[in-house]
């Protein structure tokens, strides 16, 4: 069972929900921090050993002695990562998505791929939680390949929670694609509602089953609830707008440990969403 | 010799656009016959990335041997330099004013990008 925690708007509580669900599960679980531009799940799960490995994407390297400057590579590349003027193609490795297309279309076979480091994957064990964190190197723009590399570390047979990046763009798609269920975390504010609508459209487009968690319930207005009701989007849980939660969060504490009153809410949600009887070997 | 100038307008009185990669248009002026053509660059206005590279390719294809703009980023400069196009930055208010400065030899050739990407 792979559960993705996503949202349109940032700062609605994805990580809070992800780490607390992982903690209350009380059986081995994988937590994958796919918010590789600013991973933060690890802040709530201290201890354990850390292993780190580098992740690279393939980028083109041109052998100018073989290149006749035909320009096929530049015409193929949708991202202008390789630009050809006569016999001297220019490679912009930062723009490269690593698809390998330029290498395939080159009639002279003058392009080969060399690895370019984009980030790291860290692994640590915090009790029953195996945390896998992707961390994009500063200055790198290509999050999706690193997110896919994080997901390749998924071990079948153990439930997994994916902490997705915010938004509805490529990194989010890379994170939630293939999940068995997507939990969309929102807040009852105009911004929360606006971005929730985008997120709902996104998961519908991907054909993924989903539900909504309303965080900071009671803080804004009732339009998120009205939207969910009108659109037949299930609200699976609500977390109250409680200052003590923010205080615990600011100290790096888990809600289920600092505020036991909320334990039940997370336990029920975890059982509902990560039950054993689900698909994909989970 | 042709010279490309960034602009949002369509004639010599139009303002010089300070951006290169996301300039709405290029006015390509032919110094030999004093005629010009307008090349649309709208496709790059909303590009997430790669606008400078694509704009530079457009300028290369226009046949221009020099470019006058407000600024030029690193990737665009690399493409323009590879194609042998000289880059001049100017804060002239209009295309006509920029052309006058160019012809008077008062514009200094840039030796590298003068701004970061996505400035």
């Amino acid at each position: 069972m792979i559960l993705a925690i996503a949202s349109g708007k940032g700062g609605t509580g994805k990580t809070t929900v992800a780490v607390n669900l992982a903690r209350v599960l009380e059986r081995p679980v994988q937590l994958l921090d796919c918010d590789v531009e600013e991973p933060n799940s690890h802040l709530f799960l201290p201890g354990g050993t850390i292993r780190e490995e580098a992740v690279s994407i393939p980028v083109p390297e041109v052998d100018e002695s073989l290149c006749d400057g035909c320009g096929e590579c530049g015409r193929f590349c949708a991202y202008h990562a390789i630009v050809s003027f006569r016999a001297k193609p220019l490679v912009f490795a930062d723009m490269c998505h690593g698809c390998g297309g330029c290498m395939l279309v080159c009639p002279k076979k003058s392009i080969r791929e060399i690895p370019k480091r984009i980030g790291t994957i860290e692994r640590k064990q915090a009790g029953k939680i195996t945390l896998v964190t992707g961390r994009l190197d500063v200055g790198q723009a290509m999050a999706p390949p690193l997110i896919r590399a994080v997901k390749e570390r998924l071990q079948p047979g153990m439930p997994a929670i994916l902490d997705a990046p915010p938004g509805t763009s490529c990194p989010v798609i890379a994170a939630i694609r293939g999940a068995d269920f997507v939990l969309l975390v929102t807040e009852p504010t105009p911004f929360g509602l606006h971005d929730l609508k985008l997120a709902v459209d996104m998961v519908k487009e991907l054909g993924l089953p989903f539900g909504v968690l309303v965080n900071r319930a009671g803080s804004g207005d009732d339009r998120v609830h009205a939207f969910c009701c009108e659109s037949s989007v299930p609200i699976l849980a609500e977390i109250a707008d409680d200052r003590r939660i923010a205080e615990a969060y600011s100290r790096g504490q888990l809600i289920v440990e600092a505020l036991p009153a909320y334990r039940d809410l997370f336990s029920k949600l975890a059982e509902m969403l990560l039950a054993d009887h689900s698909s994909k070997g989970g | 010799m042709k010279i490309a100038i960034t602009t949002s307008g369509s004639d010599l009185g139009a303002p010089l656009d300070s951006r290169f990669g996301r300039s709405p248009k290029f006015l390509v002026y032919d110094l030999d016959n004093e005629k010009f053509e307008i090349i649309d660059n709208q496709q790059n206005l909303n590009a997430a990335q790669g606008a400078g590279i694509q704009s530079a390719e457009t300028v290369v294809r226009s046949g221009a041997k020099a470019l006058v703009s407000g600024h030029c980023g690193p990737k665009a400069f690399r493409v323009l330099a590879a194609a042998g196009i000289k880059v001049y930055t100017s804060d002239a208010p209009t295309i006509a004013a920029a052309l006058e400065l160019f012809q008077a030899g008062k514009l200094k050739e840039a030796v590298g990008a003068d701004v970061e990407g996505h400035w």
Side-chain angles (χ1 to χ4, degrees):
Chain A
M1 176 72 191
I2 300 172
L3 169 66
I5 316 287
S7 74
K9 186 182 174 300
T12 54
K14 286 179 299 299
T15 300
T16 302
V17 171
V19 293
N20 281 286
L21 282 178
R23 180 60 91 200
V24 292
L25 200 59
E26 292 181 333
R27 54 190 157 96
V29 60
Q30 305 168 82
L31 177 57
L32 273 60
D33 196 338
C34 295
D35 190 2
V36 301
E37 288 174 79
E38 42 198 1
N40 61 348
S41 293
H42 64 282
L43 299 174
F44 301 91
L45 301 167
T49 50
I50 294 183
R51 247 187 320 167
E52 186 178 307
E53 54 183 314
V55 174
S56 301
I57 60 167
V59 298
E61 186 182 64
V62 181
D63 182 341
E64 288 179 12
S65 66
L66 297 176
C67 172
D68 65 358
C70 73
E72 282 297 322
C73 52
R75 277 189 287 278
F76 179 82
C77 184
Y79 302 101
H80 310 288
I82 188 162
V83 177
S84 175
F85 290 113
R86 296 171 293 277
K88 254 195 161 183
L90 300 175
V91 175
F92 293 92
D94 289 347
M95 317 290 292
C96 179
H97 286 54
C99 76
C102 55
M103 185 174 66
L104 292 175
V105 299
C106 176
K108 297 287 178 189
K109 305 281 173 235
S110 66
I111 300 175
R112 69 184 186 108
E113 291 180 319
I114 55 169
K116 172 179 169 266
R117 179 186 149 130
I118 56 167
T120 55
I121 292 179
E122 296 154 23
R123 183 185 286 268
K124 77 167 161 180
Q125 195 66 38
K128 293 190 171 72
I129 301 171
T130 304
L131 176 64
V132 182
T133 300
R135 190 183 298 277
L136 200 64
D137 284 346
V138 171
Q140 295 298 325
M142 229 50 85
L146 181 55
I147 292 168
R148 287 192 289 270
V150 169
K151 290 172 72 178
E152 281 167 16
R153 271 63 179 179
L154 268 174
Q155 295 168 36
M158 196 197 299
I161 298 171
L162 309 187
D163 188 4
T168 49
S169 63
C170 298
V172 185
I173 307 294
I176 70 174
R177 197 188 283 278
D180 296 303
F181 193 88
V182 181
L183 182 63
L184 297 175
V185 183
T186 189
E187 59 181 29
T189 63
F191 287 125
L193 174 61
H194 177 273
D195 292 355
L196 173 64
K197 287 177 180 172
L198 295 176
V200 166
D201 286 347
M202 171 182 70
V203 290
K204 282 184 174 168
E205 182 77 29
L206 288 169
L208 298 172
F210 68 99
V212 165
L213 182 149
V214 179
N215 194 9
R216 292 194 277 279
S219 64
D221 56 37
D222 59 2
R223 283 183 283 174
V224 163
H225 291 81
F227 164 75
C228 289
C229 186
E230 287 160 19
S231 314
S232 304
V233 171
I235 294 178
L236 302 178
E238 299 191 40
I239 302 174
D241 182 32
D242 183 341
R243 185 183 168 86
R244 294 173 303 164
I245 293 177
E247 287 170 356
Y249 179 90
S250 71
R251 289 190 295 265
Q253 292 175 324
L254 293 165
I255 303 173
V256 295
E257 288 169 356
L259 302 165
Y262 286 101
R263 211 180 153 81
D264 213 32
L265 185 155
F266 282 101
S267 294
K268 282 183 177 150
L269 193 58
E271 281 314 310
M272 186 195 325
L273 298 176
L274 290 158
D276 266 335
H277 52 71
S278 55
S279 60
K280 296 202 179 173
Chain B
M1 175 182 145
K2 286 182 181 173
I3 170 169
I5 302 161
T6 52
T7 186
S8 53
S10 304
D11 55 51
L12 298 177
L16 175 79
D17 199 294
S18 64
R19 303 162 298 176
F20 172 62
R22 292 172 202 278
S23 174
K25 294 171 192 171
F26 298 112
L27 183 146
V28 180
Y29 187 83
D30 193 331
L31 294 169
D32 300 329
N33 60 16
E34 299 185 345
K35 288 182 176 161
F36 64 84
E37 59 169 329
I38 300 291
I39 299 176
D40 187 75
N41 195 41
Q42 290 286 347
Q43 56 171 352
N44 270 342
L45 268 181
N46 297 318
Q49 51 195 6
I53 298 172
Q54 200 169 341
S55 292
E57 290 183 84
T58 301
V59 169
V60 173
R61 275 196 295 274
S62 78
K65 293 292 171 221
L67 166 77
V68 181
S69 183
H71 300 282
C72 184
K75 295 192 178 82
F77 192 88
R78 229 182 109 196
V79 175
L80 294 167
I85 294 174
K86 293 189 162 113
V87 177
Y88 299 87
T89 53
S90 170
D91 55 4
T94 63
I95 294 177
L99 273 174
E100 203 171 305
L101 288 169
F102 178 81
Q103 286 177 300
K106 286 185 178 162
L107 292 183
K108 201 167 167 241
E109 187 184 339
V111 292
D114 71 325
V115 287
E116 293 286 310
H118 297 265
W119 67 282

